[in-house]
Amino acid sequence: CVGPIRTASLLSQREHLSLTPEMATQEVQPNETLSNLKAESDTLKTKLEDERAKLHDVELHQVAEKVDGLGQFIMKTRRTLKGHGNKVLCMDWCKDKRRIVSSSQDGKVIVWDAFTTNKEHAVTMPCTWVMACAYAPSGCAVACGGLDNKCSVYPLSLDKNENLAAKKKSVAMHTNYLSACSFTNSDMQILTSSGDGTCALWDVESGQLLQSFHGHAADVLCLDLAPSETGNTFISGGCDKKANVWDMRSGQCIQSFETHESDINSVRYYPSGDAFASGSDDATCRLYDLRADREVAIYSKESIIFGASSVDFSLSGRLLFGGYNDYTINVWDVLKGTRVSILFGHENRVSALRVSPDGTAFCSGSWDHTLRVWA
Amino acid sequence: MTSNSNLSNMRRLVDQLKLEASVERIKVSQAAAELQQYCLQNAAKDALLVGVPTGSNPFREPRSCNLFQGQQNIRIMQRKTYIGTQKND
C-alpha cells in the first residue's frame, strides 16, 4: 500500500487483528497449539486451491471463441465538467441518469447536471481528500467522506441559496480514512469501507452501526453492492490484494480471492451479479466468477504498466471500462479478453469511472480536476 | 496476551478457510457459458456497445444552447433567403 494517504494507515494494520469482536479468552484445547492450527490452515488453503482447480476445465476466452468480435468503437468526450479546484477523487451517477456527484482533494463536493454541465449544488467539506461520494437512490441526498474518517449525508435542497452544510448528518465513524461509500437499496442505509481495514453498514437516521465486516488485513479501498435482484451481498477490495464477498446480514466473508499482485483499487459487479471485475495497481483488471469461485479472466497488456484505478461494465457486461494511472481509459471485450479501444483525453490520472444507470454513457473523473462524459 | 490473540486469530482463520472450502462450485465451462449468454441476450440494449438510433442518446445530441449550432442556423437561413430571392426573379 503506497502513497501519502496510506502510509499513515500502515501503523494501524497491526491493530486490525486485535480490534475484532470475540476477544474473550477461550480455553486452549490440547491439540490446538499455534503450530497445529497453522498446519491445518495450510492444508485447508491447499484443499481450496485443489477444489477450485478441479473445475477449471476451460478458459472464458475459449468459450467465447465463437462469439462475433466487436467492431470499431467511436467513443468521444461529449461533456467536460470543469469546476473542481483540485484532483477529482470520486464520482457517482444519480438514478435519473443525468445528475452526477463528484468529490475532490480540496474538500469540495459538487452536484452537476451532466446534460447541461451546470453545477447544481456545491458543498465544502471540513476536510481535504474527499475520497468517497455517493448519490442516494431517491436523488434527494448525497453522502461523502474521506480524511475526516466519517461518512456524512447532505440532503439536497431545491433552494439553491440554502446552506447545505447546515443540514449535514454524520452517519459513519471509522478509525481511519473513508475510502468508499454506497447507499443500499434505500436512502436509509449506507455501506462504508475504510483505511482501518473494515467495512460497515450504518443506519442513516440514527447513525447506528448495524453490521461490521472484518477480514481484510489492510486498508479496504473499494466496495460494490450486488445488483438488487441477486440478494444481500457486497464485494470489497483492499491493500491486502484480496477481494472479499460478504453476507450483509451475518457479517460473514463467504468467498475470498487473492490473485492480484498489488492493491485492489476498484471492484464492480457484473450486471447479472454472478461475477465481478477488479482493477489493481498491478496494472491488470480481472474477472472473478462467483459460482465457479475463481478468477476466469485477466485483462492486461505488456504495454500497460500503470495501475487501474477504477472499473465498470457496460449494460450487457460485454465491455469493461478501466481508468488507469497513465491517464488513459482502456475498453476491454470481457468475453474475449482483448482490448477494443483506448481513450485519450484526461491530462492526469483517471481516478473514478462509472457507467450511467441506463448505460448510455460513462463518466470519468481525473486528477486533472475535470470529469468527462463519454458516449 | 499476544499468544492468546494469535491463537484466536489462527482459530478464526481456520474456521474461515473451512467455510470457504465448503462453498458449492460449478465448472468454469458452465459459468463462462452463462456469462456469455447474459452478454448476448442484453447486447441489443447496451447503448455503449451497439449505439442507439440517432436522437435517442441524450449525450450524443448537441446541446440546445450551442453557439456554433446557432451560427450554422443563421448561415442556413441566409442561404435559403438568397435562393428564395433568386427563384423569385
Side-chain angles (χ1 to χ4, degrees):
Chain A
C1 227
V2 293
I5 302 308
R6 296 174 202 162
T7 40
S9 72
L10 283 173
L11 291 168
S12 65
Q13 273 180 45
R14 251 176 271 138
E15 290 160 41
H16 296 317
L17 297 176
S18 51
L19 277 175
T20 42
E22 336 87 351
M23 274 317 295
T25 45
Q26 297 164 356
E27 281 183 28
V28 182
Q29 307 300 322
N31 290 335
E32 274 195 351
T33 60
L34 204 58
S35 53
N36 282 348
L37 284 173
K38 179 88 177 54
E40 196 180 351
S41 84
D42 288 340
T43 318
L44 282 168
K45 278 185 191 162
T46 316
K47 182 183 171 197
L48 189 57
E49 286 316 305
D50 288 345
E51 290 296 313
R52 283 172 166 169
K54 272 187 214 168
L55 298 164
H56 189 197
D57 52 348
V58 76
E59 297 292 337
L60 173 60
H61 63 83
Q62 289 171 310
V63 169
E65 257 160 38
K66 296 180 217 124
V67 176
D68 285 342
L70 297 171
Q72 278 281 12
F73 277 94
I74 308 168
M75 255 175 251
K76 298 199 291 194
T77 301
R78 306 287 172 172
R79 302 286 191 277
T80 305
L81 306 179
K82 294 186 186 177
H84 276 294
N86 212 318
K87 308 177 175 64
V88 176
L89 302 175
C90 187
M91 57 83 35
D92 191 19
W93 287 89
C94 177
K95 279 205 160 69
D96 71 0
K97 305 161 256 189
R98 70 185 277 170
R99 283 175 181 77
I100 286 176
V101 63
S102 61
S103 63
S104 85
Q105 185 194 340
D106 65 357
K108 287 266 192 326
V109 175
I110 300 178
V111 175
W112 314 78
D113 176 337
F115 286 1
T116 62
T117 74
N118 290 338
K119 296 180 210 26
E120 296 202 335
H121 302 273
V123 174
T124 306
M125 292 280 286
C127 68
T128 57
W129 289 89
V130 187
M131 291 172 257
C133 64
Y135 229 115
S138 67
C140 298
V142 293
C144 50
L147 282 190
D148 58 351
N149 300 358
K150 293 191 227 172
C151 184
S152 307
V153 175
Y154 292 84
L156 295 174
S157 166
L158 289 169
D159 178 0
K160 301 272 161 79
N161 294 327
E162 195 172 348
N163 181 8
L164 286 186
K167 295 235 171 117
K168 161 180 162 176
K169 187 184 293 191
S170 268
V171 174
M173 277 292 292
H174 278 280
T175 54
N176 210 321
Y177 65 89
L178 187 82
S179 54
C181 63
S182 174
F183 284 86
T184 59
N185 295 333
S186 75
D187 286 19
M188 298 289 91
Q189 291 182 353
I190 285 189
L191 193 58
T192 58
S193 64
S194 167
D196 67 14
T198 70
C199 298
L201 182 67
W202 310 81
D203 177 85
V204 173
E205 195 57 39
S206 62
Q208 197 191 352
L209 173 68
L210 299 171
Q211 185 64 261
S212 67
F213 305 89
H214 299 258
H216 278 288
D219 307 25
V220 186
L221 300 178
C222 50
L223 60 84
D224 192 33
L225 272 147
S228 39
E229 309 80 51
T230 49
N232 284 345
T233 58
F234 75 94
I235 44 178
S236 64
C239 287
D240 57 356
K241 313 176 203 172
K242 284 211 221 157
N244 290 340
V245 185
W246 305 88
D247 178 319
M248 274 171 68
R249 276 169 293 204
S250 67
Q252 190 94 43
C253 171
I254 49 184
Q255 282 170 282
S256 185
F257 304 91
E258 195 174 349
T259 61
H260 271 294
E261 293 164 21
S262 187
D263 304 357
I264 298 179
N265 298 313
S266 177
V267 286
R268 191 76 70 217
Y269 268 96
Y270 186 78
S272 70
D274 291 331
F276 69 92
S278 58
S280 162
D281 274 352
D282 68 6
T284 70
C285 297
R286 297 177 196 234
L287 185 71
Y288 299 87
D289 188 290
L290 293 169
R291 289 154 323 140
D293 188 40
R294 64 171 298 122
E295 174 192 291
V296 293
I298 305 182
Y299 307 100
S300 67
K301 276 179 105 69
E302 271 186 33
S303 53
I304 301 175
I305 55 172
F306 283 83
S309 63
S310 193
V311 297
D312 203 358
F313 287 99
S314 69
L315 199 84
S316 66
R318 183 68 191 270
L319 298 175
L320 180 69
F321 300 96
Y324 289 73
N325 292 341
D326 63 2
Y327 315 177
T328 67
I329 294 167
N330 287 304
V331 186
W332 302 92
D333 179 331
V334 169
L335 299 179
K336 292 191 183 278
T338 52
R339 179 174 66 184
V340 296
S341 194
I342 176 168
L343 302 173
F344 300 96
H346 278 297
E347 294 164 17
N348 206 319
R349 287 194 191 193
V350 178
S351 51
L353 192 156
R354 293 292 283 264
V355 172
S356 74
D358 63 353
T360 51
F362 71 91
C363 179
S364 58
S366 164
W367 280 18
D368 69 6
H369 307 188
T370 71
L371 294 115
R372 283 170 182 251
V373 180
W374 308 76
Chain B
M1 261 324 275
T2 333
S3 58
N4 257 344
S5 73
N6 276 349
L7 204 60
S8 58
N9 285 334
M10 211 25 111
R11 210 178 276 126
R12 209 175 303 118
L13 178 64
V14 167
D15 288 340
Q16 180 63 28
L17 286 169
K18 280 186 187 159
L19 179 81
E20 288 178 27
S22 67
V23 160
E24 276 191 29
R25 297 175 194 86
I26 64 172
K27 284 193 192 165
V28 175
S29 51
Q30 188 193 340
E34 290 181 29
L35 288 177
Q36 184 175 302
Q37 188 184 33
Y38 187 89
C39 277
L40 299 176
Q41 275 174 348
N42 292 285
K45 295 185 283 181
D46 189 342
L48 289 167
L49 185 69
V50 299
V52 285
T54 339
S56 60
N57 187 331
F59 288 106
R60 286 198 181 171
E61 288 307 289
R63 279 173 287 155
S64 45
C65 50
N66 186 328
L67 195 61
F68 179 66
Q69 187 78 10
Q71 284 175 340
Q72 265 197 325
N73 285 340
I74 289 168
R75 274 186 226 116
I76 291 166
M77 287 309 296
Q78 284 172 337
R79 214 177 301 132
K80 279 186 182 164
T81 320
Y82 177 67
I83 293 167
T85 26
Q86 278 202 313
K87 276 190 185 157
N88 288 338
D89 280 352

